């Protein structure tokens, strides 16, 4: 990755961790607005990183929940 992508991806990881810690699932938008005022290019790269990471998180949770449900059903099924 280039410098811009590296920096904004690291920021996205940190912001998502902060969102979890402070319990504000829209915190990333506040950071986005701050970036937009300073650098639209940086804001765009940051939002791409945020969307990718949040989408991956949601998809991973879906897969984990589906596996958990399938394993629980299998464990309850008579042999």
């Amino acid at each position: 990755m280039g410098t811009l992508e590296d920096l904004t991806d690291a920021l996205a990881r940190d912001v998502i961790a902060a969102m979890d810690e402070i319990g504000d699932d829209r915190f990333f938008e506040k950071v986005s607005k701050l970036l937009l005022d300073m650098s639209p290019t940086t804001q765009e790269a940051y939002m791409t990183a945020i969307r990718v990471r949040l989408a991956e998180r949601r998809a991973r949770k879906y897969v984990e929940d589906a596996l958990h449900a399938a394993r629980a059903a299998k464990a309850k099924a008579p042999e």
Side-chain angles (χ1 to χ4, degrees), residues 6-76:
D6 291 343
L7 290 172
T8 54
D9 187 56
L11 179 60
R13 282 193 314 265
D14 293 345
V15 168
I16 290 170
M19 286 169 39
D20 293 342
E21 188 171 331
I22 64 177
D24 181 355
D25 66 346
R26 306 312 286 179
F27 181 67
F28 72 92
E29 292 175 345
K30 296 170 186 169
V31 176
S32 177
K33 288 178 185 176
L34 175 77
L35 287 172
L36 184 60
D37 290 342
M38 299 184 74
S39 171
T41 302
T42 303
Q43 186 265 354
E44 184 177 327
Y46 161 77
M47 284 306 297
T48 297
I50 284 287
R51 285 190 296 270
V52 167
R53 289 190 169 278
L54 290 178
E56 186 273 341
R57 175 191 263 193
R58 177 181 256 178
R60 185 170 301 281
K61 180 162 179 8
Y62 177 79
V63 170
E64 289 170 355
D65 291 348
L67 285 172
H68 179 72
R71 289 173 182 153
K74 188 183 279 188
K76 288 182 181 182

